[in-house]
């Protein structure tokens, strides 16, 4: 029987409607879980229990009356700290901004609350969400519930850790180079990078076509549930497009679909356990009736990295410099390194050079996916990152030294091709004892297909009942 704190969102909503479970009972279970184990994980920046409990009681009353039942009514949601809540702090992990207060709700917060969701906790990030590990001088180190030595990834690492540890059934996340998909991969959860424009963001970086906000959960259906709430045009973000038809993942739609399997995306040095687990997912799709064919892409890690940092050098990097001017000595080493790398890339490449490189990569992806309905690949070439590392000198993966540790991740190409929807799902366990994950990449704005494929894998290789256990929470760090 599923422990209450690990109850999935869709099941919880059904129990609420049948009055077999109260939103108050679920929230109290999550509060107890957080108080019991978060000390060793450090996934949360703050808890909002004093506001959440009365909201849960009001939701219970509405269920009892049988009216005003909204799609997320009474369901607890943990929000990434960068998703501002009016009147609450909005520091983005910066010591110098610890007292900054959000003037308004972020659009995804607004939509969750309008749908009846209850924000009961906020989750950690690295500074300005610019790392794929989650630690900062302000909040300390967030650790992976599966093994405290390792990171849950970043930048939505607090959300991934919170889901894996049983602190919330749903979380918000964001993604500019893999910040949703990497934490999902490292924590055995599900993350969705929607096509650019599907989910509203905040100006001015809402105009950055690499970025996006989105959902994380423990199941494919729950991830679709939150994606449906978040999606659609928003008056505060003119880049948004109409929402897709409501996504209802169904494994039955997979029969006959053609899936391209690409293990290395060019020349990424994929670790053997990551490759083995990716092939296991491909076999699951074959068992579900899909036709899986292995392909290669002409990409190189170096070209992808150069393209990505040229883009950052003209957009995210300068924005970060504006946000941190005069506070550089207080910044984490990885933040200073990111800004320096972005600045150097802009100095060495014109913006139009970056656009030429982006469109070349996009065209190569489109050509490779011709005749296929989706592409399957790992989320990260490396199976794990140390929780408190900065990786200023690069990283070794599968016997190869990479000059920048972001080159160990395989997510950025699909921010370069950011009209493609990408669903990250678990693929198995790494040799080091934490989960690995894969990406299911769809054609531009074909949201439904990646969810159908994810549901088919989930039904063939179920993972929802696998959770970290108490000894891992109490394990030694180091």
């Amino acid at each position: 029987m599923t422990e209450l704190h690990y109850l999935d969102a869709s099941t919880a909503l059904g129990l609420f409607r049948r009055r077999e479970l109260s939103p108050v009972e679920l929230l109290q279970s999550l509060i107890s879980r957080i108080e019991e184990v978060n000390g060793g994980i450090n996934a949360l920046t703050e808890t909002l229990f004093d506001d959440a409990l009365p909201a849960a009681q009001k939701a219970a009353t509405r269920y009892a009356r049988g009216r005003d039942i909204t799609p997320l009514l009474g369901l607890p949601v943990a929000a990434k700290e960068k998703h501002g809540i009016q009147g609450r702090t909005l520091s983005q992990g910066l010591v110098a901004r610890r007292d900054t207060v959000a003037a308004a709700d972020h659009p995804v917060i607004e939509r969750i609350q309008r749908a009846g969701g209850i924000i009961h906790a906020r989750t950690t990030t690295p500074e300005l969400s610019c790392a794929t590990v989650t630690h900062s001088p302000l909040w300390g180190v967030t650790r992976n519930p599966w093994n405290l030595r390792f990171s849950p990834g970043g930048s939505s690492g607090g959300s991934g850790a919170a889901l894996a540890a049983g602190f919330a059934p749903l979380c918000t996340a964001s993604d500019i180079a893999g910040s949703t998909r990497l934490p999902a991969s490292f924590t055995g959860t599900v993350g969705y990078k929607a096509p650019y424009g599907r989910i509203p963001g905040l100006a001015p970086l809402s105009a950055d076509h690499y970025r996006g906000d989105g959902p994380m959960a423990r199941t494919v259906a729950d991830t679709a549930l939150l994606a449906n709430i978040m999606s659609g045009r928003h008056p505060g973000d003119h880049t948004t497009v109409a929402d897709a038809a409501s996504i209802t993942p169904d494994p039955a739609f997979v029969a006959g679909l053609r899936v391209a399997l690409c293990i290395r995306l060019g020349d990424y040095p994929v670790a053997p356990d990551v490759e083995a687990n990716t092939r296991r997912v491909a076999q699951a799709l074959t068992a579900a009736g899909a036709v899986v064919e292995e392909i290669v892409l002409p990409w190189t890690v170096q070209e992808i990295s150069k393209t990505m940092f040229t883009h950052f050098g003209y957009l995210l990097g300068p924005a970060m410099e504006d946000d941190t001017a005069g506070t550089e000595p207080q910044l984490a080493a990885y933040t200073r390194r990111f800004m320096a790398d972005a600045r150097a890339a802009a100095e060495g490449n014109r913006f139009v050079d970056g656009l030429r490189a982006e469109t070349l990569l996009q065209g190569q992806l489109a050509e490779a996916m011709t005749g296929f309905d989706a592409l399957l690949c790992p989320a990260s070439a490396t199976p794990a990152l140390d929780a408190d590392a900065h990786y200023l000198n690069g990283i070794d993966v599968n016997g190869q030294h990479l000059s920048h540790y972001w080159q160990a991740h395989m997510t950025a190409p699909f921010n370069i091709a950011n009209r493609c929807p990408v669903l990250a799902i678990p693929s198995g366990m790494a040799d080091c004892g934490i989960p690995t994950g894969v990406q299911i990449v769809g054609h531009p704005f074909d949201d439904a297909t990646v969810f159908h494929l994810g549901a088919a894998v989930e039904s063939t290789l179920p993972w929802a009942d696998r959770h970290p256990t108490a000894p891992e929470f109490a394990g030694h760090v180091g």
Side-chain angles (χ1 to χ4, degrees):
M1 183 174 179
T2 300
E3 296 173 286
L4 198 53
H5 54 264
Y6 278 128
L7 191 66
D8 66 273
S10 301
T11 299
L13 289 171
L15 293 172
F16 292 166
R17 293 186 189 102
R18 295 192 300 273
R19 297 182 61 193
E20 296 174 14
L21 175 69
S22 164
V24 177
E25 291 178 88
L26 178 58
L27 179 58
Q28 287 174 333
S29 175
L30 297 177
I31 291 172
S32 295
R33 180 66 166 177
I34 290 166
E35 292 175 341
E36 177 188 1
V37 303
N38 185 53
I41 299 168
N42 190 34
L44 307 178
T45 66
E46 67 174 327
T47 57
L48 311 180
F49 302 155
D50 288 345
D51 292 334
L53 283 165
Q57 184 58 63
K58 289 179 180 177
T61 300
R62 286 165 64 180
Y63 279 112
R65 292 174 177 170
R67 59 176 185 267
D68 302 321
I69 309 300
T70 49
L72 297 181
L73 183 61
L75 200 65
V77 182
K80 188 173 181 176
E81 196 265 357
K82 72 171 289 182
H83 293 140
I85 300 173
Q86 185 176 21
R88 295 280 177 181
T89 57
L90 182 58
S91 68
Q92 298 212 57
L94 297 172
V95 170
R97 289 177 52 173
R98 68 167 78 231
D99 297 322
T100 301
V101 174
D105 291 337
H106 188 284
V108 300
I109 300 296
E110 170 193 318
R111 287 183 167 174
I112 288 168
Q113 293 182 328
R114 186 185 304 151
I118 299 170
I119 307 297
H120 70 299
R122 304 178 75 196
T123 63
T124 53
T125 69
E127 290 182 337
L128 292 169
S129 296
C130 76
T132 66
V133 289
T134 296
H135 58 77
S136 69
L138 179 60
W139 294 321
V141 180
T142 299
R143 300 186 180 279
N144 195 319
W146 291 90
N147 186 321
L148 300 182
R149 171 190 167 189
F150 297 114
S151 177
S155 65
S156 306
S159 290
L163 288 166
F167 298 168
L170 300 174
C171 287
T172 72
S174 64
D175 196 311
I176 200 169
S179 285
T180 299
R181 291 160 287 156
L182 293 170
S185 176
F186 291 134
T187 62
T189 59
V190 181
Y192 185 52
K193 184 206 73 63
Y196 174 66
R198 183 73 78 202
I199 295 173
L202 285 180
L205 290 181
S206 54
D208 181 350
H209 60 271
Y210 274 31
R211 61 146 302 280
D213 301 286
M216 292 182 69
R218 287 189 292 267
T219 71
V220 171
D222 285 359
T223 307
L225 169 70
L226 189 52
N228 289 335
I229 297 299
M230 291 178 166
S231 297
R233 291 194 181 100
H234 190 281
D237 182 358
H238 196 62
T239 69
T240 47
V241 298
D243 58 327
S246 183
I247 299 166
T248 304
D250 187 345
F253 280 93
V254 169
L257 292 184
R258 289 178 50 79
V259 178
L261 169 65
C262 193
I263 296 293
R264 300 186 66 200
L265 291 184
D267 65 351
Y268 281 90
V270 177
D273 47 355
V274 173
E275 177 175 352
N277 288 343
T278 303
R279 293 189 181 280
R280 181 169 170 261
V281 171
Q283 292 168 358
L285 286 173
T286 300
V291 178
V292 180
E293 180 180 328
E294 192 159 355
I295 67 165
V296 296
L297 273 159
W299 293 344
T300 68
V301 171
Q302 291 298 326
E303 189 60 30
I304 290 167
S305 182
K306 176 183 174 182
T307 303
M308 173 177 61
F309 271 96
T310 298
H311 180 93
F312 292 153
Y314 284 96
L315 292 173
L316 182 58
M320 290 171 60
E321 290 180 349
D322 289 347
D323 286 341
T324 60
T327 67
E328 290 83 357
Q330 300 179 60
L331 298 177
Y334 61 75
T335 305
R336 297 194 299 270
R337 171 67 182 273
F338 181 96
M339 292 190 295
D341 288 345
R343 192 181 314 116
E347 290 169 354
N349 301 281
R350 299 173 301 168
F351 187 69
V352 70
D353 296 330
L355 291 180
R356 289 189 177 113
E358 288 177 6
T359 52
L360 175 63
L361 291 165
Q362 291 163 1
Q364 290 167 336
L365 176 63
E367 181 178 357
M369 290 182 67
T370 298
F372 294 98
D373 297 288
L375 179 144
L376 174 69
C377 65
S380 176
T382 185
L385 297 173
D386 288 338
D388 52 2
H390 288 261
Y391 291 104
L392 301 182
N393 297 315
I395 189 172
D396 294 321
V397 182
N398 199 23
Q400 182 175 332
H401 181 73
L402 301 172
S403 60
H404 197 292
Y405 82 107
W406 280 32
Q407 295 172 348
H409 308 314
M410 303 170 71
T411 48
F414 309 111
N415 297 89
I416 295 171
N418 205 17
R419 273 69 175 180
C420 292
V422 187
L423 186 69
I425 61 172
S427 60
M429 297 296 290
D431 293 342
C432 65
I434 70 171
T436 60
V438 295
Q439 301 177 90
I440 302 173
V441 183
H443 287 284
F445 295 101
D446 184 12
D447 304 57
T449 294
V450 299
F451 278 97
H452 295 324
L453 288 164
V457 176
E458 185 179 49
S459 65
T460 307
L461 299 174
W463 60 75
D465 59 348
R466 298 190 64 180
H467 308 297
T469 55
E472 276 120 0
F473 290 133
H476 294 291
V477 177

